[in-house]
Amino acid sequence: MKWWQTAWQLLRDILLTGTGLALIISQIGTREPSSVLIVAGLALTVPAAATHAAAVLSAPSPPAHGPSPSSPPSSPPSSSPSSPPAEAAHE
């Protein structure tokens, strides 16, 4: 059964998508593009696009920004007592 899935993926990604893109591209240079051919070209690209979109949307999300629970909390940077605050210097 696995060989059929591989064959379908190749057929979908190469033959169907390629044919759909060829139809769409062939209509770009014409004076009066055929909406039927453009829609047919888009329809041929849908199976591959839907599969790839589902794979992207179901991918695990990257870790959130910020410290991880296992890392120790970082202390905020301290200002040295000898330097005056920036607000006082401008007054």
Side-chain angles (χ1 to χ4, degrees):
M1 185 73 175
K2 184 151 175 93
W3 69 269
W4 176 248
Q5 291 174 347
T6 304
W8 167 243
Q9 287 176 350
L10 287 173
L11 179 72
R12 179 193 64 215
D13 287 345
I14 296 172
L15 188 62
L16 291 179
T17 305
T19 303
L21 290 175
L23 282 173
I24 294 168
I25 292 170
S26 72
Q27 295 303 302
I28 290 175
T30 62
R31 285 188 178 176
E32 296 179 20
S34 169
S35 59
V36 173
L37 289 177
I38 293 173
V39 169
L42 288 172
L44 287 170
T45 62
V46 167
T51 302
H52 293 296
V56 167
L57 293 175
S58 67
S61 60
H65 294 289
S68 64
S70 63
S71 66
S74 61
S75 62
S78 62
S79 62
S80 65
S82 63
S83 65
E87 297 169 359
H90 294 290
E91 292 178 4

